[in-house]
Amino acid sequence: MADRRQKRASRGVDTSRPTTSRLYDFMLGGKDNYEADRRLALRVLEIMPDAREAARANREFLARVVRFMAAEAGVRQFLDIGAGLPARDNVHEIARSAAPGSRVVYVDHDPIVLVHGRALLAVDGRTTIVEGDARDPDAIVDDPETRRLIDLGEPVGLLMLGVLHHLPDHEGPAGIVARLVKRLPSGSHVAVSHFHNPVDHPEASRQAYTAEKLFKESLGTGRWRTREEILTCFDGLELLEPGLVPVPEWRPDPGDSARPGLSRHTLVGAVARKP
């Protein structure tokens, strides 16, 4: 029986091919995914049986990062690039629980994300979602909707979780971060989570190589980079404690529930401040 959601999909959306946002939605237990996404998810789970836990760990990392920025770093405006499909505890909800009045701009280029985001995320005049691609940072920053909510004279919380590993080396992910950071004022904070190839952990490294091969064959993207490669994304920034670590280890909270196994070594994150 055909998936009914495919019939309701927006015009121009290809539901026959998997996408990163819908794959992530499936791993988080969401319902905004299609047969192609679920087929790929099952293949990923064969390689990484705890992939769902890794996705949850990434989501919990997002929550801790946003709470830190809002409650401790004094950030009141957020730019979430590669926002993905709406899920429980979205950025604007987390930020406002710590700092009422926080403003959030979500950015994505997936048509389904944009449709759902405009329905569920743009809930008031302090949140919006814009169409944009990380590979064109200036277009994101200069978008009229971004400029309506983001004051470039005040610190910004730049979120790039699960984004940079979908940019190939020749597109220069570290350079893209640098171009974005250049537009932001001193005191801004940058959060990144990234697929990691832990070359000093043979079993996890083999898993990373296998997963990378599958992602490139199925999605055309996906780079499990070394620690040294990922750290270049923070050049010129002040890396905050505890530095670049597996995402469950970045300032863990007693309420965290994700328990990744081997994939704990293959997804890392960090937060840095622009001096």
Side-chain angles (χ1 to χ4, degrees):
M1 182 176 179
D3 192 319
R4 293 177 183 176
R5 284 190 299 277
Q6 289 188 239
K7 297 179 180 179
R8 299 199 300 266
S10 305
R11 183 181 178 184
V13 173
D14 183 1
T15 61
S16 67
R17 297 175 60 84
T19 69
T20 57
S21 58
R22 299 196 307 256
L23 176 64
Y24 187 49
D25 175 75
F26 175 88
M27 293 300 183
L28 288 173
K31 298 180 179 179
D32 296 314
N33 48 78
Y34 300 91
E35 183 61 30
D37 309 300
R38 294 189 283 272
R39 285 197 303 267
L40 176 57
L42 293 177
R43 295 181 67 192
V44 172
L45 288 167
E46 289 177 0
I47 297 169
M48 306 173 64
D50 61 341
R52 287 189 177 95
E53 293 297 308
R56 288 173 56 201
N58 191 58
R59 195 72 188 177
E60 290 176 348
F61 173 67
L62 167 69
R64 296 195 305 276
V65 162
V66 173
R67 282 197 297 269
F68 161 75
M69 290 185 184
E72 299 183 43
V75 173
R76 297 294 180 267
Q77 48 185 1
F78 295 84
L79 184 60
D80 184 4
I81 298 180
L85 286 155
R88 206 176 94 183
D89 296 330
N90 296 292
V91 172
H92 68 281
E93 297 164 329
I94 300 164
R96 289 176 193 168
S97 69
S102 294
R103 307 182 302 279
V104 178
V105 175
Y106 296 99
V107 182
D108 213 295
H109 61 80
D110 185 316
I112 287 185
V113 171
L114 295 169
V115 168
H116 285 265
R118 286 166 181 152
L120 299 174
L121 297 178
V123 293
D124 56 38
R126 291 170 294 151
T127 61
T128 191
I129 184 165
V130 303
E131 183 174 3
D133 192 311
R135 288 165 288 201
D136 192 353
D138 291 320
I140 291 173
V141 176
D142 293 329
D143 186 283
E145 275 294 278
T146 303
R147 298 307 294 269
R148 179 176 69 84
L149 290 182
I150 301 294
D151 180 354
L152 294 179
E154 300 177 2
V156 176
L158 173 62
L159 309 173
M160 301 190 77
L161 274 62
V163 174
L164 298 176
H165 51 232
H166 290 299
L167 300 177
D169 293 345
H170 72 266
E171 290 182 338
I176 287 171
V177 176
R179 287 170 61 192
L180 282 162
V181 169
K182 186 177 181 180
R183 301 291 304 273
L184 305 182
S186 175
S188 293
H189 285 66
V190 181
V192 168
S193 67
H194 198 295
F195 289 157
H196 174 227
N197 188 332
V199 293
D200 57 346
H201 192 304
E203 185 180 3
S205 184
R206 284 193 295 271
Q207 185 187 75
Y209 277 120
T210 306
E212 182 173 297
K213 181 180 179 182
L214 173 61
F215 268 57
K216 286 184 176 177
E217 289 175 350
S218 304
L219 296 167
T221 69
R223 272 282 279 120
W224 272 250
R225 293 187 167 96
T226 65
R227 177 180 179 83
E228 291 71 25
E229 289 173 319
I230 299 168
L231 283 171
T232 63
C233 296
F234 298 97
D235 285 351
L237 301 174
E238 298 173 352
L239 202 61
L240 304 184
E241 292 294 334
L244 183 66
V245 294
V247 291
E249 297 176 17
W250 195 90
R251 306 190 183 190
D253 186 274
D256 295 339
S257 61
R259 297 291 183 268
L262 191 62
S263 67
R264 182 184 196 90
H265 304 282
T266 57
L267 181 64
V268 296
V271 177
R273 180 183 182 276
K274 180 176 180 178

